[in-house]
């Protein structure tokens, strides 16, 4: 066996094989796959082999499209068959909410270049005549849906990889992964030790065990899953063409033709996690015992939806395990806190996603960054707070909700509350309705007497509308307060702190006592973060950014570390409040003996507020006069009492994220992962105004940002006022101009201050200045929209800066 390699991929399922192939495709031939048994010896061999493009995340959907298109190419390269059946598929809608979701999906597909179609019951009858259409109001047809031969496809990836120079070692169990001092790895196998520069965990069902060999916990869990293959059915084998796929979310089933009969699988509510305490190494090419009790309700439902099933005999039952991450998306990329250790696991739909996972991982490893934003499957989207006790209920919830409608305002209940601040009980007592970010409870709004203490999930304006309006009004007319627990916070210190910041951030590093706003760029000029930097001393800075991006940011800081600057993640070591509104200064002044009248916009000060030593930043995401007040969590309740005692008589109200997201629209402020994400550049999003091209530092992304400045961006972010009715823009709605889709929305909502529906989105740069009248497609309806440039509140910034 070869004993050195650039990359050791552990696991020869469809995912490991795809990773190996993509590494060779991007030019690395000295790569090796280690498989403890034969290829496909985990979940892969017993998969139903179905594939589809639908995914709630647009970038995941694009990667699924890539995976499906790849199979033809793989067949051509290798001369092997993947057993492709491109039969198309229809997903049924039995209620308006589900249909609304399809309308929103269909709208997204317009700018993604996917040819899905909304179909009515009559068309469904023609597409899938065995379907009982009682109660069906429509469906979404995708011509790309189909299925393949799981084993043939995995072997085709493997052959293509071998053709590119890769080695595959089967019957080669990996026992240990030990890191050498230089960051490379000794991969200890039954056949000897392989010295590898990089290790990829593609261990599938055993990814937890493989991770543990390197001391890493991977948040994934196997679930049992069953599908049934029937005997021959005349209504199927007498057809001229193969029957397409039918997904019936109401029955939690997927169905397709298999030979002369049908194959139907279920995502049952009575589901069961498998191998809770670890996957046995003895498990291999075997199945779990049939369990009809678990799926009896689902089968009964399926008999009604597809009556031919009731008359069909059962030919075989496949019952096997496969893994899920807590949100159902794969875990891909460089593992935070590790050197040269990569994840390619948690892939629950290997035949829809495996190609995209392989491509992403290979691009990341070889080119330094993936070509598109892959946050939805980045292994760093979960932080160090994640545990098996959290993962298991979330995975069960995810399995149960596999076919559920996913609403933009939905807060999933499993594993909550998990992480809370000292304010949790106080705010709960004041009516807080909680959401969750990165495991942390965050108030969405405060319900008052008679208002629902639960926000009903909806694509339209929700029942939080009145509460949100009330909170917005209080902020604009008096003063509002909410927590700043959900900001990512970092301390940068040491003699090289300023120089390090100058190199990693594209913007200005502020002088002592001041703040600055800055984008952080990748070498290709993509946005990796939008930060506030505050300078607390010659060698001491604080950074704030998105809470959910902590592990991504720390990974990037670690990859670009300096010996002279210490970077610490203090996100949960600092909490506090922001107060915003015309009376915010008066409240602050009433809480401290220091004169705060000269605290200017973008100043940072250390102040004692009541009993509590705080860092106070004059900055505002509400667009109003505002202060962020940070303290240590042990002092947060004391700080609250001080601020509330001063604020309540002045009309202070607590406000939540719903109000915050409405307030920021008044000044068209973008938000992370909506307007600002690794899909976009600074110039496209307007963040280039914060880049300091004149600074004497070769910051990361400078060359790309300069090139874009010279050429001008191809698209630009603009804001629209939309003639909406009861549904506002959420994100990814297409923007139509003169009968063509020319852009898409990044986010939107209702400005309660202005009483207007607002959207933010991209237009081609050459059309953006014309401020054209456009149409935005919301839930299948064309809504007129106009580009607006003047903020809806405080257009000259006098209140925010004054
Ligand atoms: C009943 C059922 C139906 C399914 N239907 C579909 C479907 O229709 N469409 C779809 O897309 N997906 C489907 N899936 C899911 C699909 O099977 C998985 O997404 C996919 O197989 C995951 O592949 P993988 O390579 O990540 O993992 P696995 O297939 O589990 O492969 C992991 C490999 O790693 C090897 N390995 C582990 N540890 C070591 C070690 N220490 N040393 C060496 N080798 C090691 C294992 O032997 C194994 O071969 C289904 C799953 C089930 C259970």
């Amino acid at each position: 066996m070869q004993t050195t390699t650039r990359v050791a991929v552990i696991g020869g399922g469809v995912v490991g094989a795809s990773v190996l192939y993509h590494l060779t495709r991007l030019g690395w031939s000295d790569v090796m796959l280690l498989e403890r048994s034969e290829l496909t010896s985990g979940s892969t061999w017993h998969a139903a082999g179905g594939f589809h493009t639908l995914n709630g995340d647009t970038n995941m959907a694009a990667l699924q499209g890539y995976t499906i298109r790849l199979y033809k190419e793989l067949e051509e390269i290798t001369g092997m068959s993947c057993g492709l059946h491109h039969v198309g598929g229809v997903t049924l809608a039995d209620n308006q909410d589900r249909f609304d979701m399809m309308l929103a999906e269909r709208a997204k597909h317009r700018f993604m270049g996917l040819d899905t179609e909304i179909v009515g019951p009559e068309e469904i009858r023609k597409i899938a005549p065995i379907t009982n259409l009682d109660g069906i109001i429509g469906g979404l047809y995708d011509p790309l849906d189909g299925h393949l031969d799981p084993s043939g496809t995995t072997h085709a990836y493997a052959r293509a990889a071998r053709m590119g120079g890769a080695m595959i070692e089967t019957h080669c169990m990996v026992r240990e992964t030990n890191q050498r001092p230089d960051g490379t790895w000794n991969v200890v196998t039954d056949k000897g030790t392989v010295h590898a520069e990089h290790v990829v965990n593609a261990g599938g069902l055993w990814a937890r065990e493989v991770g543990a060999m390197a001391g890493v916990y991977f948040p994934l869990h196997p679930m049992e899953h069953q599908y049934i293959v029937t005997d021959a059915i005349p209504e199927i084998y007498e057809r001229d063409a193969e029957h397409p796929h039918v997904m019936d979310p109401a029955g939690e089933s997927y169905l397709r033709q298999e030979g002369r009969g049908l194959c139907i699988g279920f995502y049952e509510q009575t589901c069961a996690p498998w191998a809770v305490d670890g996957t046995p190494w003895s498990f291999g090419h075997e199945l779990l015992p049939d369990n009809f009790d678990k799926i009896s309700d689902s089968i009964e439902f399926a008999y009604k939806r597809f009556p031919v099933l009731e008359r069909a005999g059962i030919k075989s039952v496949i019952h096997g395990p496969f893994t899920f991450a807590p949100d159902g998306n794969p875990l891909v990329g460089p593992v935070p806190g590790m050197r040269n250790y990569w994840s390619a696991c948690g892939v629950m739909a290997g035949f829809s996603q495996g190609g995209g996972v392989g491509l992403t991982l290979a691009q990341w490893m070889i080119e330094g960054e993936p070509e598109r934003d892959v946050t939805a499957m980045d292994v760093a989207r979960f932080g160090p707070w994640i545990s098996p006790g959290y993962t298991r209920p979330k995975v069960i919830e995810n399995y149960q909700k596999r076919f559920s409608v996913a609403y933009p305002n939905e807060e999933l209940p499993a594993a909550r509350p998990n992480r809370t601040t000292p304010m949790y009980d106080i705010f709960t007592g004041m009516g807080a309705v909680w959401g969750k970010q990165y495991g942390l409870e965050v108030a969405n709004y405060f319900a008052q007497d008679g208002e629902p203490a639960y926000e009903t999930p909806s694509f339209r304006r929700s029942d939080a509308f009145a509460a949100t309006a009330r909170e917005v009004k209080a902020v604009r007319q008096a003063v509002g307060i909410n927590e700043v627990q959900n900001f990512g916070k970092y301390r940068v210190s040491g003699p090289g702190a300023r120089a390090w910041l100058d190199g990693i951030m594209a913007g200005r590093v502020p002088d002592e006592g001041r703040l600055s706003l800055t984008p952080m760029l990748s070498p290709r000029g993509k946005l990796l973060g939008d930060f506030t930097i505050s300078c607390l001393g010659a060698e001491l800075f604080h950074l704030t950014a998105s809470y959910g991006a902590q592990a991504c940011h720390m990974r990037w800081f670690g990859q670009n570390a300096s010996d002279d600057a210490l970077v610490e993640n203090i996100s949960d070591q600092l909490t506090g409040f922001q107060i915003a509104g015309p009376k915010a200064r008066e409240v602050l002044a009433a809480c401290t003996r220091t004169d705060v009248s000269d605290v200017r916009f973008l100043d940072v000060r250390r102040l004692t507020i009541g009993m509590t030593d705080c860092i106070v930043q004059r900055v505002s995401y509400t667009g109003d006069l505002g202060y962020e007040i940070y303290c240590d969590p042990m002092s947060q309740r004391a700080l609250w009492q001080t601020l509330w005692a001063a604020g309540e008589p002045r009309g202070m109200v607590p406000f939540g994220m719903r109000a915050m997201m409405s307030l920021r629209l008044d000044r068209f402020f973008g938000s992370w992962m909506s307007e600002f994400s690794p899909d976009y550049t600074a110039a496209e999003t307007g963040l280039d105004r914060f880049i300091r091209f004149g600074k004497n530092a070769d910051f990361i992304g400078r060359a790309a940002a300069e090139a874009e400045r010279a050429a001008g961006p191809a698209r630009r972010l603009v804001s629209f006022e939309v003639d909406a009715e009861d549904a506002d823009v959420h994100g990814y709605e297409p923007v139509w101009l003169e009968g063509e889709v020319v852009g898409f929305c990044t986010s939107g909502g209702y400005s309660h201050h202005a009483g207007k529906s607002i959207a933010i989105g991209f237009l081609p740069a050459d059309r953006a200045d014309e401020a054209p009248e456009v149409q935005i497609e919301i839930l299948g309806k064309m809504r007129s929209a106009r580009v607006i440039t003047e903020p809806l509140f405080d257009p000259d910034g006098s209140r925010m800066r004054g």
Side-chain angles (χ1 to χ4, degrees):
M1 183 177 73
Q2 187 177 313
T3 55
T4 60
T5 185
R6 200 156 187 192
V7 186
V9 178
I10 304 174
V14 64
V15 175
S18 166
V19 168
L20 194 73
Y21 163 64
H22 281 92
L23 289 169
T24 61
R25 182 173 156 156
L26 267 62
W28 283 16
S29 54
D30 178 16
V31 295
M32 192 172 186
L33 186 147
L34 305 168
E35 165 56 49
R36 69 188 183 115
S37 177
E38 296 290 343
L39 294 179
T40 78
S41 292
S43 300
T44 297
W45 75 271
H46 55 236
F51 53 76
H52 54 90
T53 48
L54 289 191
N55 189 299
D57 182 89
T58 310
N59 281 312
M60 286 300 303
L63 284 171
Q64 292 184 193
Y66 165 79
T67 302
I68 294 167
R69 284 189 282 270
L70 180 67
Y71 294 130
K72 267 252 142 328
E73 191 182 319
L74 213 50
E75 290 189 332
E76 281 162 20
I77 297 171
T78 61
M80 290 173 70
S81 167
C82 295
L84 288 176
H85 295 248
H86 275 293
V87 291
V90 63
T91 305
L92 308 175
D94 65 324
N95 61 45
Q96 188 58 44
D97 276 11
R98 213 181 294 284
F99 199 57
D100 280 351
M101 183 167 103
M102 289 177 184
L103 292 169
E105 287 299 312
R106 167 68 191 112
K108 280 185 206 173
H109 296 160
R110 289 190 203 278
F111 62 82
M112 290 168 62
L114 294 175
D115 292 324
T116 53
E117 268 175 62
I118 293 291
V119 286
E122 273 318 306
E123 285 157 293
I124 298 173
R125 194 185 308 285
K126 286 185 209 139
I127 296 167
I130 60 168
T131 313
N132 171 358
L133 293 166
D134 286 356
I136 298 298
I137 59 174
L140 184 69
Y141 178 74
D142 185 351
L144 272 185
D145 275 11
H147 55 277
L148 47 61
D149 166 18
S151 175
T153 301
T154 308
H155 283 276
Y157 274 127
R159 179 177 292 176
R162 280 197 184 100
M163 289 166 72
M167 298 287 295
I168 296 181
E169 210 52 61
T170 55
H171 299 282
C172 184
M173 169 83 176
V174 173
R175 300 273 173 197
E176 293 175 28
T177 50
N178 303 320
Q179 192 151 36
R180 294 186 177 193
D182 66 355
T184 62
W185 292 87
N186 284 337
V187 181
V188 182
T189 80
D190 286 351
K191 291 185 174 175
T193 296
V194 179
H195 178 209
E197 191 180 330
H198 298 271
V199 165
V200 179
N201 179 353
L205 279 179
W206 295 267
R208 291 174 297 175
E209 287 69 25
V210 172
M213 293 175 194
V216 184
Y217 170 63
F218 283 91
L220 54 87
H221 204 289
M223 296 293 293
E224 298 177 1
H225 184 62
Q226 247 172 143
Y227 65 89
I228 295 169
V229 180
T230 71
D231 289 331
I233 299 174
E235 287 89 337
I236 298 300
Y237 64 73
E238 284 170 2
R239 283 171 55 88
D240 293 338
E242 189 170 346
H243 197 279
H245 290 210
V246 187
M247 273 62 63
D248 179 19
E252 295 164 334
S253 72
Y254 56 89
L255 169 138
R256 67 169 171 81
Q257 182 168 344
E258 172 73 34
R260 287 159 62 84
L262 287 168
C263 157
I264 182 163
F266 304 102
Y267 280 88
E268 69 281 6
Q269 292 303 302
T270 46
C271 58
W274 183 74
V276 170
D277 295 315
T279 304
W281 289 112
S282 56
F283 190 79
H285 266 272
E286 69 239 52
L287 291 172
L288 307 175
D290 303 351
N291 185 343
F292 283 100
D293 285 351
K294 210 169 41 150
I295 53 172
S296 59
D297 288 351
S298 309
I299 292 177
E300 207 170 304
F301 196 98
Y303 283 164
K304 289 192 196 115
R305 181 72 77 218
F306 309 106
V308 292
L309 284 174
E310 208 164 359
R311 302 190 297 276
I314 291 178
K315 187 167 153 192
S316 58
V317 178
I318 306 289
H319 191 196
F322 65 137
T323 60
F324 287 73
D327 57 5
N329 280 335
L331 301 167
V332 181
V335 175
M338 306 285 288
R339 226 174 124 194
N340 298 344
Y341 193 93
W342 301 76
S343 173
C345 50
V347 185
M348 60 77 53
F351 298 95
S352 296
Q353 300 174 333
V357 167
L359 176 72
T360 299
L361 195 104
Q363 286 177 337
W364 216 328
M365 193 183 284
I366 296 172
E367 297 170 1
E369 59 185 293
E371 74 184 80
R372 63 176 75 237
D373 171 26
V374 293
T375 303
M377 64 175 180
D378 188 343
V379 63
R381 70 190 183 278
F382 301 105
W385 47 270
I386 199 137
S387 69
Y390 173 90
T391 301
R392 197 167 50 255
K394 289 303 287 182
V395 164
I396 293 169
E397 176 184 68
N398 195 274
Y399 186 100
Q400 290 168 328
K401 291 186 77 70
R402 175 92 180 106
F403 279 129
S404 300
V405 178
Y407 297 92
N409 66 336
E410 188 169 16
E411 298 289 352
L412 298 176
R416 296 187 47 206
N418 181 13
R419 294 168 63 73
T420 58
T421 72
M423 287 305 293
Y424 184 75
D425 294 335
I426 296 176
F427 272 177
T428 299
M430 297 174 84
V433 178
W434 295 95
K436 188 199 68 168
Q437 282 177 18
Y438 198 64
L440 177 70
E441 295 295 315
V442 177
N444 278 342
Y445 65 97
F446 292 80
Q448 292 196 351
D449 295 343
E451 284 176 341
Y454 165 75
E455 183 181 5
T456 311
S458 175
F459 290 96
R460 292 156 202 275
R461 289 178 192 153
S462 80
D463 44 16
F465 194 79
T468 306
R470 187 173 58 241
E471 290 169 20
V472 164
K473 190 169 168 196
V475 171
R476 290 285 182 245
Q477 294 189 352
V479 55
I481 183 166
N482 82 350
E483 286 187 273
V484 289
Q485 85 277 40
N486 57 333
F487 290 161
K489 309 165 200 95
Y490 312 91
R491 182 190 294 126
V492 185
S493 58
R498 178 174 287 275
W500 181 78
L501 284 167
D502 257 329
I504 203 157
M505 301 292 173
R508 187 169 52 82
V509 180
D511 296 335
E512 193 165 334
R514 294 288 288 164
L515 311 176
S516 68
L517 308 178
T518 172
M520 181 168 79
L521 304 179
S522 76
R524 289 184 189 151
K526 299 292 178 93
L527 294 172
L528 294 182
D530 68 321
F531 282 82
T532 303
I533 310 178
S534 43
C535 181
L536 298 168
E539 297 185 4
L540 180 61
F541 298 84
H542 276 185
L543 309 178
T544 50
S546 162
Y547 189 76
Q550 277 170 62
C552 296
H553 287 156
M554 285 305 288
R555 181 176 62 195
W556 185 246
F557 296 157
Q559 286 166 353
N560 295 282
S562 152
D563 289 343
D564 297 329
L566 174 67
V567 185
E568 297 161 277
N569 182 356
I570 54 166
S571 301
D572 296 328
Q573 291 165 33
L574 270 192
T575 185
F577 302 93
Q578 63 166 312
I579 55 173
K583 294 194 179 163
R585 184 181 289 117
E586 213 180 304
V587 170
L588 188 67
C591 299
T592 176
R593 297 189 61 78
T594 307
D595 176 10
V596 294
S597 61
D598 63 347
V599 178
R600 295 166 300 158
F601 185 61
L602 300 184
D603 271 356
V604 55
R605 294 279 178 87
R606 290 179 187 275
L607 296 177
T608 298
I609 299 182
M611 298 184 283
T612 311
D613 283 334
C614 299
I615 294 169
V616 178
Q617 304 190 158
R618 172 119 184 249
V619 67
S620 156
Y621 192 53
T622 62
D624 219 307
L625 169 67
Y627 304 85
E628 291 171 0
I629 306 169
Y630 294 93
C631 66
D632 106 70
M634 302 283 272
S635 307
Q636 194 187 13
R637 289 166 75 106
L639 178 61
W640 160 256
Q641 276 150 12
T642 302
L643 291 169
W644 187 242
E648 197 183 9
R650 294 174 169 86
M652 183 188 263
V653 299
F655 69 102
M657 289 307 293
R658 298 278 183 262
M660 178 101 108
M661 295 315 269
S662 172
L663 289 158
R664 61 117 194 169
L665 286 177
D666 294 343
R667 293 189 56 93
F668 318 136
F669 288 160
S671 85
W672 184 247
M673 290 317 295
S674 293
E675 284 66 40
F676 311 135
S677 91
D679 268 336
Y680 313 132
T681 66
E684 288 172 340
T685 55
L687 284 185
D688 56 338
R689 68 187 185 279
F690 297 116
I691 296 183
R692 284 295 168 269
F693 288 102
K695 75 178 177 179
N696 187 21
D698 189 20
F699 59 85
I700 298 170
R702 180 193 266 274
E706 281 176 350
E708 195 177 28
R709 184 172 58 156
R715 58 184 175 184
R716 274 196 12 230
L717 216 48
V718 295
S719 303
F720 303 95
E721 182 186 338
V722 190
D723 294 339
E725 272 171 19
D726 61 343
D728 302 302
V729 157
H730 289 292
Y732 292 114
E733 292 81 357
V735 179
W736 294 77
L737 180 62
E738 294 154 10
E740 260 181 73
V741 175
V742 295
F744 62 92
C745 296
T746 47
S747 76
Y750 189 76
S751 160
H752 288 273
H753 169 73
K756 290 178 175 169
S757 183
I758 301 299
I760 304 178
F762 283 108
L763 278 183
D766 56 350
R767 307 301 302 262
D769 285 337
E770 295 167 17
E773 179 95 16
V774 299
Q775 293 196 302
I776 297 179
E777 186 179 342
I778 304 177
L779 300 182
K781 298 240 164 63
M782 294 296 185
R783 303 293 184 188
S784 296
R786 288 158 300 287
V787 173
I788 46 173
T789 50
E790 178 158 312
L792 306 169
F793 166 74
D794 194 25
D796 61 359
S798 56
R799 192 131 116 198
M800 183 170 78
R801 295 163 187 275

